[in-house]
Every structure is written in structure tokens, then in C-alpha cells.
Amino acid sequence: MILKSLLFSICLLVILPLQAQSKPRIISLAPHLAEIVFALDAGEQLVATSEHTDFPEAAKSIRTIGNSHSLSLETIIGLEPDIVLAWRTGNPELQLQRLADLGITIFYSNPASITDLLEEISDIANLIGAKQTAQQVIKQLAQDVERLRQQYAARKPVNVFYQIWHQPLRTVGNDPWLNELLATCGGQNIFRNLAQSFPLVGYEAVLHKNPDAILIPYKETPSKRTPSKETPSKETLSNEKQSQETNHWQQWHQIDAVKKGHISQLNPDWLHRFTPRIIQGLEQLCKTLDAVREANEH
């Protein structure tokens, strides 16, 4: 009996460390990648993240090792990651190559569509050992997106100017990600045919296109109310932000969106980050455009 107990204890000492080692150590180099890892219930495997990684709350306590411009290679190497999740267009290419040359496994994220996002979630899950959770996440997200597509497919299109920045005035051109999100809700980007993803444009060009709505991505500060799925689709910008983001439109009252007050804010983290939270962004976007649609019908 004593011998059996001793053998059992020895087995535990051998097996438990092996089980712990079976979960790869992960470094995320973009907020959306850390968010995906948490969505796959693997947040405890993250040993480092990048600046601006702020969701979920637990992600804020993980050490950061750089940003989109520069990475601390020495720190990354010292953490001995099994996998580095990188953003192909959002991380320093030369530094990533140095990590790859050292034999570190790097997964490159570069989704251009919702389908790409679903595939990336699956690929990341395969790398980090979260296949079962991924199946549930992917199925739910795909169903939710399809539900919205069907709900708004027959609605009258709403012409949209999507303001990325106000000084200088920058918008969305042929960027496939944001154009797909707009189209899902029956929105049409008035500059979707421009060759650049995020071009600078003039106010006269916006006036010529005469959009029904002007959409402004704006992240609330912690002291202000954070938008949610239940938030009314047409929100009033805070006084401070309204001064910065919307006052420059008031002299262009010939534009229908300005004349009718269809200038709305959206949560950029929900729309601009490639994560399952895009469904929250789509819900907010669709409600916003539907409010404009209904107002124009009366």
C-alpha cells in the first residue's frame, strides 16, 4: 500500500509539470490578438502584451514589451515565449524577422474580412491548444453576423462619411474591413472607390457626395459613460469631444448629415479591433444607420 502511494506521488510529480508545459507561453504584439487569446479562455498563457492592450480588464495587469513602432527584443527573448502573435501591418518588420531568425514561432495576423477573422481565431486556437473553445466562439460570431446581414439586407442604403480624423480630414477609402462592416448594416461608404485605404479628403468632396450620415469613432474616457449594446444608436457627443470632432462640420450645413444632425459616435474598439467584439460594434453601427434611415423616411 505504501509502495503504491509512493509510486502515485512520483507519477504526479512527473505528469503535472508536463501538463503545465503543454500550454504554450504566448506574447501578443497587438491589442486585438491579446483579446482573442482571452476570448479563447487562454489569458493565463499570456506572458506579455503590447501597449494599449486594455481588454478584458485582466489584460491590463500583464507586462507590456513595446508598441507598433518598437519592441523590446531583449525582454521578449528573456521571457522565452513558445509563440509570438504579431500584427503584420502593425509591428516593426525588422524586429519580427530577428525573432524569427532566433527560431521563435511567429503567427502573423492580417485579417481583411470577417471570414479572415474567423479563420484567424481558428488558427490561433490550433497553436495554443484551444480548439474546443474556438469552435463555440466561431460558431456564435458567425451566426450573429449572419443574423444582422439578413436583418438589414433589404433596408434602404444609407450613404456614410466615416471620419477617421478631423485635422486633417481623413476617411475610409477602399479598406475592405470597414467597408464590409458598413455594408453588413446597409451602409455605403461614399469614398469606397478611392485607391487608398485611409485617404485625406477635402470638405468640398464630402459636400459633393452629400452623405446621409457622418460617423465618428470615439473612445470614451474612463470618467465618461462607456457605450454598450443597449446604448441608443444616435448618441450626443460630449461637449469637449463635440467641440473637437463636430464643430468643423457646422459651416457645411448644406450637407444633409449636418443639416439633419446625423453626426454620430461609435466605439472604435468594437469596430477597429479584429475580435469577437465586432458583433457589439455591428449592433451599434446598424442601430445608428437605422435611426438615420427612419428619420429620412419622415
Side-chain angles (χ1 to χ4, degrees), residues 185 227-229 231-233 235 265-268 270-271 279-289:
C185 298
S228 67
K229 289 174 69 174
T231 300
S233 58
E235 298 181 325
Q265 67 173 338
L266 300 172
N267 186 320
W270 291 349
L271 292 169
I279 195 60
Q280 293 171 260
L282 283 170
E283 292 275 9
Q284 185 186 39
L285 174 61
C286 289
K287 290 177 182 178
T288 298
L289 296 185

Side-chain angles (χ1 to χ4, degrees), residues 109-117 120 175-180 274:
S109 169
N110 194 34
S113 66
I114 294 174
T115 298
D116 288 348
L117 171 60
E120 282 202 2
D175 177 69
W177 175 264
L178 286 171
N179 279 309
E180 180 179 2
F274 315 110

Side-chain angles (χ1 to χ4, degrees), residues 32-293:
H32 75 275
L33 290 166
E35 196 171 320
I36 287 175
V37 172
F38 272 98
L40 294 172
D41 293 333
E44 76 282 355
Q45 295 172 233
L46 282 167
V47 296
T49 62
S50 61
E51 288 183 12
H52 308 299
T53 298
D54 56 8
F55 188 88
E57 189 67 26
K60 296 180 181 179
S61 62
I62 302 173
R63 71 184 300 172
T64 59
I65 41 73
N67 52 43
S68 59
H69 304 293
S70 178
L71 304 172
S72 175
L73 295 184
E74 183 178 352
T75 304
I76 292 174
I77 295 168
L79 288 171
E80 299 182 344
D82 297 298
I83 300 167
V84 171
L85 304 178
W87 186 11
R88 185 172 293 280
T89 58
N91 292 134
E93 184 177 352
L94 292 178
Q95 290 189 307
L96 291 177
Q97 186 57 53
R98 287 186 61 187
L99 293 175
D101 291 342
L102 292 172
I104 296 175
T105 299
I106 299 179
F107 173 86
Y108 290 95
S109 169
N110 194 34
S113 66
I114 294 174
T115 298
D116 288 348
L117 171 60
L118 296 174
E119 291 176 355
E120 282 202 2
I121 293 173
S122 178
D123 291 341
I124 291 172
N126 290 338
L127 281 173
I128 68 176
K131 292 182 181 180
Q132 187 171 356
T133 304
Q135 290 175 356
Q136 300 170 356
V137 171
I138 291 169
K139 181 180 179 180
Q140 186 63 57
L141 180 55
Q143 288 178 344
D144 288 342
V145 171
E146 184 58 28
R147 169 178 54 82
L148 289 175
R149 280 184 177 143
Q150 293 183 11
Q151 182 177 348
Y152 292 95
R155 304 286 175 91
K156 184 178 179 180
V158 177
N159 290 322
V160 171
F161 175 76
Y162 196 99
Q163 177 180 298
I164 295 294
W165 191 245
H166 65 287
Q167 191 177 7
L169 191 61
R170 188 177 294 277
T171 189
V172 178
N174 67 357
D175 177 69
W177 175 264
L178 286 171
N179 279 309
E180 180 179 2
L181 300 189
L182 287 169
T184 299
C185 298
Q188 287 187 344
N189 170 20
I190 60 174
F191 290 113
R192 63 190 179 280
N193 293 324
L194 294 184
Q196 296 172 287
S197 295
F198 304 104
L200 295 174
V201 294
Y203 288 93
E204 293 82 2
V206 180
L207 173 60
H208 177 71
K209 296 285 188 178
N210 195 25
D212 301 309
I214 294 174
L215 304 180
I216 302 173
Y218 164 53
K219 187 173 182 177
E220 296 276 4
T221 59
S223 61
K224 298 171 185 172
R225 181 169 56 88
T226 300
S228 67
K229 289 174 69 174
E230 290 73 32
T231 300
S233 58
K234 183 181 176 185
E235 298 181 325
T236 302
L237 293 168
S238 65
N239 290 336
E240 178 184 357
K241 199 64 180 179
Q242 191 172 36
S243 174
Q244 296 176 10
E245 301 284 2
T246 67
N247 277 1
H248 61 101
W249 287 110
Q250 299 313 310
Q251 61 181 304
W252 298 95
H253 53 84
Q254 308 97 314
I255 299 174
D256 283 348
V258 178
K259 180 168 54 181
K260 298 178 181 180
H262 295 158
I263 302 177
S264 304
Q265 67 173 338
L266 300 172
N267 186 320
D269 288 352
W270 291 349
L271 292 169
H272 298 178
R273 291 186 182 180
F274 315 110
T275 77
R277 282 199 298 166
I278 60 161
I279 195 60
Q280 293 171 260
L282 283 170
E283 292 275 9
Q284 185 186 39
L285 174 61
C286 289
K287 290 177 182 178
T288 298
L289 296 185
D290 218 29
V292 173
R293 195 178 283 116

